[in-house]
């Protein structure tokens, strides 16, 4: 490596260097892209190298110091500041990073371009940026097709970065349940099964509801599921039997998200998982792979929150949800209705 | 205590018992309210005693079993189900509970009506119920005037209860800061101070910004505060100095909540607290009482989230925030603008 910086010029949103840069920067450091006998750097790469005095950059005959270059770059390229923060962080941790189909691609530790395939595609976000669900679903799809992993790098207002991995997730449990019996009453916004024997059987069989005083209190989604499976009858307070349709209609009027939750609840139960409310964790459900007995309840593995197809993530909210899930050793999963199929999106912390 | 249940009748939203109930239920158990030589029970009290076969209740000549009574009570009184769940839980934990100005008042462990003053006023909520800020602020005020504590009992869809205490909180730190100097540039959505000496002084002096490469990256609220205190100059990318007014105008266009955050940030700094972003915890700020040196950063004590005066709490969101704060040993505080004064509302878990 020479001590003199390599000279180049800012042109549009690139910095162009002569052919002599190729060996030192591209071959040795995987910086830039060789074009027409020279080397082309993105603004982020150029700022990084300029800060280390490995290149010098001129514009209209005058040399730009780091400050001038940086000020210009943020004006030329929306999001430059965030990408620079992330690029610098990953490079300083010793990773090879290159511009990619998302924002960057990152090579595994010890690997480098030309030697090993990239491991991650990276999407950079500002914490202030609302992120529509589809802006995660698309990159996840592309990333999986390319056999990579998707890294989300979220830059907060003080330029700290939180790294997440987002991926589609298959959920599967180990709890086949087919017990039922009895008739319950729909009260104001929950359902009460009065008969001690049915209460015990349904609670012990599938860990449904909350028992007390020989009765069983069931939530609306639990009750709808048991009703549609023919495992429970439900009447209103006058003793009139309720059809599934009528029960769902009334549940909707109590609970805005009822349809969405009902769909996800059913899907999770059909996948042999045990589903309970996640209220204490601020999510719709906490999910167990299996509950042998209500006297020996194991650790629940997932927090599942249902979101609509047009959901927009607010990153501080995602940060809180994922952080809480990790602190109680659970996996945070967002469930959505994808044309009648429920799909699960896991977002987890990543420590590069 | 006699083995035969005491006979009474359902009348409107009360159950009326004869005078013989006063000694056994009121004197011994603090159930009901003596009126006209008899004892009047609320529906919740009556359901509790009926479930224990301590009373029998008739309506129009026929005796009501627990199921019929309960079904009727939920139809008569909105929210009966939630209040019953909470009343029963607290009674079964051995507390004396009476109807009160909020939903209930609860006596301290070992205390009872007539012997000791009540300790808590209890407000019961369903997790589904949106709670406007003023519906907490008012009871907090009343509760404090009466020298009680305010307990929030939130009943989730499976009838589990989470207990919180809500109270006004004074925040005060121990970090007087008056250091500054230098001129920084407003970039896309953050501010960069370029001069190494000023960067070091401002960062070390008040734990402002994030240092790196001899520069200091400052957030918008930090910059606005330093600018208004005359501790920092700010220019735009063309070198044009920005007035506080202009800086605030531009910050607002980047950050929707800027004014609210700015107000709270200033108030916390003026109270000698050290304020940093709380993004990793999903809140606006994490707050330290004092930071001696950036090389020895202590544990931050509060998570502070600013909310508007017309804020409506969604209890699952509160649940997530408070749970996360506890898991990282911090106190969750909601800050609001109360006619120009910033007030702080702490919500913490309570384990009765």
């Amino acid at each position: 490596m020479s001590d003199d910086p390599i000279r180049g010029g800012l042109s549009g949103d690139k910095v162009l260097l002569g052919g002599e840069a190729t060996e030192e920067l591209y071959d040795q450091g995987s910086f830039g892209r060789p074009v027409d006998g020279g080397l082309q750097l993105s603004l982020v790469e150029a700022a990084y190298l300029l800060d280390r005095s490995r290149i010098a950059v001129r514009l209209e005959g005058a040399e730009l110091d780091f400050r001038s270059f940086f000020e210009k770059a943020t004006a030329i390229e929306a999001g430059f500041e965030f990408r620079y923060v992330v690029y610098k962080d990953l490079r300083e941790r010793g990773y090879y990073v290159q511009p990619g189909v998302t924002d960057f691609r990152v090579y595994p530790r010890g690997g480098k371009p030309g030697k090993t395939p990239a491991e991650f595609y990276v999407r950079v976000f500002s914490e202030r940026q609302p992120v529509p669900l589809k802006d995660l679903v698309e990159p996840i799809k592309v990333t999986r097709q390319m056999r990579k992993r998707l890294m989300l790098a979220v830059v907060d207002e003080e330029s700290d970065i939180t790294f997440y991995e987002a991926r589609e997730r298959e959920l599967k449990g180990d709890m086949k349940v087919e017990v039922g019996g009895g008739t319950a009453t729909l009260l104001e916004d929950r359902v009460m099964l009065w008969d001690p024997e049915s209460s015990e059987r349904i609670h012990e069989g599938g860990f449904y509801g909350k028992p007390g005083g020989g009765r069983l209190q069931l939530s609306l989604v639990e009750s709808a599921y048991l009703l549609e499976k023919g495992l429970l009858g439900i009447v209103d307070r006058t003793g009139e039997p309720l059809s599934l349709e009528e029960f769902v209609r009334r549940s909707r009027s109590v609970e805005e998200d009822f349809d969405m939750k009902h769909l996800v609840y059913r899907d999770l139960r059909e996948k042999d998982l045990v589903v309970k409310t996640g209220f204490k964790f601020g999510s719709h459900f906490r999910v167990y792979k299996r509950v042998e007995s209500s006297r020996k309840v194991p650790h629940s593995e997932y927090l599942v929150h249902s979101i609509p197809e047009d959901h927009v993530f607010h990153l501080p909210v995602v940060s809180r949800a994922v952080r809480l899930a990790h602190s109680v050793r659970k996996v945070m999963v967002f469930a959505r209705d994808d044309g009648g199929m429920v799909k699960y999106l896991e977002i987890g912390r990543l420590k590069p």
Side-chain angles (χ1 to χ4, degrees), chain A:
Chain A
M1 191 190 304
S2 76
D3 288 325
D4 279 342
I6 301 169
R7 306 197 166 275
L10 175 61
S11 166
D13 63 351
K14 297 282 183 265
V15 167
L16 304 175
L17 307 171
E20 79 280 10
T22 307
E23 192 195 334
E24 183 180 327
L25 297 180
Y26 180 72
D27 295 350
Q28 290 176 28
S30 299
F31 294 101
R33 206 158 67 99
V35 268
D36 303 334
L39 190 68
Q40 190 186 71
L41 299 175
S42 68
L43 294 180
V44 160
E45 291 173 314
Y48 181 78
L49 293 167
L50 182 59
D51 194 29
R52 274 154 187 71
S53 306
R54 297 196 44 195
I55 64 170
V57 181
R58 293 179 85 83
L59 177 66
E60 292 157 10
E63 192 163 320
L64 298 172
D65 63 5
F66 180 78
R67 172 177 176 168
S68 320
F69 181 83
F70 201 94
E71 287 174 349
K72 285 204 191 318
T74 73
I76 294 167
E77 213 177 81
F80 171 82
E81 293 162 45
F82 316 123
R83 278 197 297 282
Y84 177 71
V85 166
V86 173
Y87 181 87
K88 178 168 178 278
D89 181 276
L90 289 169
R91 276 281 182 179
E92 287 176 352
R93 289 170 193 265
Y95 289 99
Y96 285 95
V97 186
Q98 290 191 316
V101 285
T102 53
D103 288 301
F104 302 121
R105 52 178 188 272
V106 174
Y107 289 79
R109 196 164 282 285
K112 60 178 290 186
K115 207 180 108 191
T116 38
E119 182 175 12
F120 286 101
Y121 285 173
V122 184
R123 278 280 275 131
V124 175
F125 297 96
S126 153
E127 64 156 310
R128 299 203 174 99
Q129 198 175 331
V131 182
L133 174 59
K134 66 171 172 37
D135 287 4
L136 291 186
V137 169
E138 264 315 301
I140 286 175
K141 202 176 284 171
V142 171
T143 303
R144 190 158 68 175
Q145 278 161 2
M146 305 299 287
R147 297 164 176 272
K148 312 291 179 215
R149 299 164 66 190
L150 182 65
M151 181 192 289
L152 313 178
V154 182
V155 181
D156 71 26
E157 59 177 338
E158 286 171 12
S159 303
D160 266 339
I161 312 166
T162 311
F163 294 98
Y164 299 99
E165 179 171 2
R167 59 180 179 137
E168 295 286 351
R169 179 81 197 225
E170 306 278 334
L171 300 186
K172 189 83 193 89
D174 185 25
M175 184 90 172
K176 297 242 176 266
V177 188
E178 277 286 339
V179 289
T183 298
T185 309
L186 171 60
L187 301 170
E188 195 178 340
D189 92 336
R190 61 204 60 214
V191 168
M192 185 85 89
L193 181 57
W194 309 93
D195 164 47
E197 213 178 286
S198 308
S199 290
E200 161 107 19
R201 194 167 56 242
I202 288 188
H203 181 65
E204 281 304 318
F207 200 39
Y208 294 99
K210 185 185 176 179
R215 300 175 292 272
L216 189 65
Q217 295 182 60
L218 294 159
S219 74
L220 296 176
V221 282
E222 288 178 322
S223 306
Y225 181 72
L226 290 166
L227 180 61
E228 74 190 15
K229 298 288 279 184
L231 299 171
L232 185 74
I234 302 179
V235 298
D236 69 12
R237 281 178 287 210
T238 70
E240 196 65 39
L242 297 175
S243 66
L244 178 61
E245 202 185 352
E246 179 58 19
F247 181 79
V248 164
R249 200 187 61 74
R250 295 199 192 186
S251 297
R252 257 183 221 138
S253 74
V254 172
E255 191 169 9
E256 218 182 318
D257 297 341
F258 180 79
D259 285 329
M260 200 168 67
K261 283 180 64 178
H262 182 199
L263 184 81
V264 172
Y265 182 93
R266 181 199 298 127
D267 190 72
L268 291 166
R269 279 282 183 186
E270 300 286 316
K271 293 196 160 97
D272 300 330
L273 290 152
V274 178
V275 193
K276 300 296 282 180
T277 175
F279 173 74
K280 283 183 199 290
F281 310 104
S283 296
H284 287 144
F285 305 119
R286 65 184 200 274
V287 176
Y288 304 82
K289 287 201 176 147
R290 188 182 183 87
V291 177
E292 290 290 352
S293 150
S294 67
R295 276 169 294 276
K296 227 181 82 183
V297 179
H299 179 74
S300 64
E301 330 218 354
Y302 308 109
L303 294 181
V304 176
H305 198 70
S306 10
I307 53 176
E309 278 180 280
D310 60 357
H311 183 73
V312 176
F313 286 105
H314 291 274
L315 294 170
V317 175
V318 172
S319 169
R320 188 186 274 171
V322 173
R323 175 92 190 213
L324 176 54
H326 279 239
S327 84
V328 291
R329 294 174 299 118
K330 304 185 197 302
V331 172
M332 186 70 222
V333 176
F334 296 91
R336 69 185 189 278
D337 176 5
D338 186 12
M341 282 262 293
V342 179
K343 295 221 173 144
Y344 298 93
L345 171 64
E346 174 187 339
I347 302 184
R349 278 283 281 282
L350 202 62
K351 307 221 163 166

